[in-house]
Amino acid sequence: MNEYITPHLLLKKGDIGEYVLLPGDPKRAKLIAEIMDESKLISANREFLVYTGKYGGVTVSVASTGIGGPSAAIAFEELLMVGAKVFIRVGTCGALRKGIEVPSIIIPYAAVRMDGVTKRYVDPEFPAVATPEIYLVLKEEAEKQSKVKVYSGIVVSDDAFYVEKEKMMYWANRGAIAIEMESSTIFTLAQLKGVKAGTILVVDGNIPEGTGKAVKGGFRGREYSEEIAEAIRLEAKIALEAVKRIHGNY
């Protein structure tokens, strides 16, 4: 009998490590893989690019999830099938609080479940929260560097990118500090499946200040300015350092 291969990520057991970093963008997956001590492209299909390698002696995999909760849920489920146990989203977000600068880093401890896919798994009252030890290690590793400011709080995970500002500010007025698209899915599924998850995000715009990504658009034919691209490289390094610590302590 042939060994099972997952239908979308095209993975089998042994292809990945227990620790998986989850950028949305396939190009960001490649960037993270290049930061690692060694890495190898395992599969490339649709929006899913998967690398496995080493960082600080620890086996780490990187898998792009595409945009939004449904594709993130597919990636999560298939990575879980082949042995993943710790999931860290490495992404971007729009700040919902004035004064949070571009490109700050946000480490969320919870997410508002404005996605649709997790409601197919569990009632909407179920909270989407990061695993405490993963959140704490990410926060501590982020605070070790002084290049950008670090914030923590609740983020909103929404399926719709082009949301009316008033709807986003509804959550800002209730304490949410940023909006993005995948953390609620990762947090909820990790809790339901008995594994661990956290998120690190780079702020790519400030919505109440009028610099949100949907408003300002791309940058000279690219998605991001070099300032934001550099912060994304920094958050990738922070996530990898966090994995090294988690492996040694948990």
Side-chain angles (χ1 to χ4, degrees), residues 59-77:
T59 299
V60 184
S61 294
V62 185
S64 57
T65 65
I67 296 176
S71 63
I74 289 171
F76 184 101
E77 291 277 17

Side-chain angles (χ1 to χ4, degrees), residues 101-211:
E101 308 89 339
V102 175
S104 301
I105 283 176
I106 289 178
I107 314 291
Y109 50 74
V112 179
R113 289 172 55 202
M114 290 299 291
D115 69 273
V117 69
T118 63
K119 295 175 179 65
R120 300 296 300 274
Y121 283 84
V122 65
D123 290 346
E125 292 82 4
F126 190 88
V129 294
T131 305
E133 58 263 38
I134 307 302
Y135 161 76
L136 287 171
V137 172
L138 283 169
K139 187 171 182 289
E140 289 168 2
E141 287 299 320
E143 289 173 344
K144 283 182 181 179
Q145 53 74 39
S146 59
K147 292 183 180 180
V148 296
K149 290 186 178 180
V150 179
Y151 297 86
S152 61
I154 297 172
V155 298
V156 180
S157 298
D158 201 324
D159 280 344
F161 179 79
Y162 292 100
V163 180
E164 295 92 335
K165 183 177 178 180
E166 293 74 19
K167 291 183 178 179
M168 290 186 277
M169 296 314 295
Y170 170 89
W171 293 109
N173 293 333
R174 285 151 181 81
I177 65 171
I179 186 166
E180 50 90 81
M181 301 183 76
E182 293 87 16
S183 291
S184 64
T185 300
I186 303 304
F187 292 172
T188 301
L189 294 190
Q191 182 65 33
L192 294 175
K193 305 290 184 176
V195 292
K196 298 178 179 181
T199 285
I200 181 170
L201 303 166
V202 166
V203 175
D204 60 18
N206 188 298
I207 289 158
E209 293 179 3
T211 63

Side-chain angles (χ1 to χ4, degrees), residues 33-54:
E34 289 171 350
I35 296 173
M36 293 162 63
D37 300 327
E38 55 182 89
S39 64
K40 178 183 178 182
L41 179 64
I42 302 298
S43 68
N45 188 53
R46 300 195 182 205
E47 63 265 51
F48 307 115
L49 213 63
V50 182
Y51 294 85
T52 294
K54 296 280 187 179

Side-chain angles (χ1 to χ4, degrees), residues 216-228:
K216 68 181 181 181
F219 181 81
R220 297 178 183 173
R222 294 176 293 164
E223 187 172 355
Y224 297 114
S225 67
E226 183 53 41
E227 180 186 34
I228 293 172

